[in-house]
């Protein structure tokens, strides 16, 4: 496939998470659409930020704020208050369906909608990072099966998936190499 040296369009989505007071995380997602060919170089068409605070105990959004920094129409920012509707949503269960019902199409902004979709899995990974950092600091108090946020998120975390079987066989998240070895590395030989 051939292409010109200068890209036609570039979209970046960046998600950054911070631990807040041990009980919540703050997750900020930013979307930027650029036209690298435009003068001045790198003309920004969209730059929007969606920030949420999520309670770790139940993975519920407790605060949400949308901001448009660069946008094509003066009226675009009028929709940002609608994204306060993220408050009260569980990121662990039913999140994608709720986001689609509230913000897809003319009920929202397609760019902020993409950020809401990116936030769900990023919040789950961020919560896992909180637990990993705590384990690295020597706090192993969490039940390793307390992975409700990742349950049913992929084939590894299916109810009969290899993730739970590895936990049952003795694997502890945050220990050992990545990728985590296959199940046989944790299973004890029979008859021993």
């Amino acid at each position: 496939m051939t292409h010109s040296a200068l890209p036609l369009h570039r979209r970046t989505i960046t998600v950054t998470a911070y631990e807040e007071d041990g009980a919540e995380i703050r997750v900020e997602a930013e979307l930027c659409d650029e036209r690298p060919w435009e003068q001045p170089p790198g003309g920004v068409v969209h730059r929007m930020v969606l920030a949420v605070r999520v309670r770790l105990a139940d993975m519920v959004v407790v605060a949400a704020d949308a901001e448009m920094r660069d946008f094509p129409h003066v009226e675009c920012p009028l929709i940002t208050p609608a994204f306060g509707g993220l408050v009260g949503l569980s990121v662990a269960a039913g999140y994608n369906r709720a986001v689609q019902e509230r913000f897809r199409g003319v009920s929202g902004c397609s760019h902020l909608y993409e950020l809401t979709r990116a936030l769900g899995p990023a919040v789950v990974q961020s919560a896992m990072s909180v637990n990993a950092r705590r384990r690295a600091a020597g706090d192993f108090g969490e039940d390793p099966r307390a992975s409700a946020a990742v349950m049913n998120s992929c084939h590894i975390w299916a109810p009969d998936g290899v993730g739970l079987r590895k936990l049952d066989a003795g694997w502890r998240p945050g220990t050992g190499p990545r990728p985590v070895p296959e199940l046989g590395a944790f299973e004890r030989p029979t008859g021993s």
Side-chain angles (χ1 to χ4, degrees):
M1 180 188 305
T2 62
H3 60 83
S4 66
L6 192 58
L8 179 63
H9 187 81
R10 179 179 297 117
R11 172 173 283 186
T12 55
I13 295 178
T14 306
V15 182
T16 308
Y18 306 90
E19 189 170 6
E20 298 285 332
D21 69 33
E24 295 178 352
I25 54 176
R26 178 173 43 95
V27 183
E28 297 174 358
E30 181 174 345
L31 178 145
C32 185
D33 278 336
E34 298 174 84
R35 294 180 179 155
W37 55 267
E38 200 170 62
Q39 294 298 324
V44 174
V45 180
H46 303 106
R47 191 163 59 105
M48 300 168 183
V49 176
L50 183 60
V52 296
R53 286 178 67 99
V54 177
R55 190 172 45 235
L56 289 168
D58 57 6
M59 300 297 283
V60 169
V61 177
V62 296
D65 183 54
E67 178 185 354
M68 293 191 180
R69 296 178 180 167
D70 291 288
F71 44 89
H73 298 275
V74 71
E75 296 87 359
C76 287
L78 296 176
I79 197 66
T80 59
F83 288 84
L86 287 165
V87 173
L89 291 184
S90 169
V91 180
Y95 179 78
N96 288 333
R97 182 175 43 256
V99 162
Q100 192 170 22
E101 290 169 356
R102 284 175 173 83
F103 308 112
R104 190 170 180 198
V106 298
S107 298
C109 158
S110 62
H111 305 91
L112 288 172
Y113 171 69
E114 286 302 316
L115 287 179
T116 62
R117 289 172 22 115
L119 274 175
V123 166
V124 171
Q125 288 297 315
S126 300
M128 292 170 66
S129 290
V130 167
N131 291 330
R133 183 163 65 181
R134 289 176 182 171
R135 283 190 300 274
D139 179 3
F140 295 96
E142 181 191 331
D143 173 6
R145 286 186 67 106
S147 303
V150 296
M151 288 303 299
N152 296 311
S153 63
C154 72
H155 69 108
I156 299 296
W157 294 107
D160 62 346
V162 70
L164 290 178
R165 293 196 317 261
K166 287 180 181 181
L167 286 172
D168 291 343
W171 168 63
R172 294 299 168 252
T175 62
R178 273 191 300 254
V180 175
E182 60 186 57
L183 180 59
F186 301 100
E187 292 180 326
R188 293 165 187 83
T190 57
S192 57

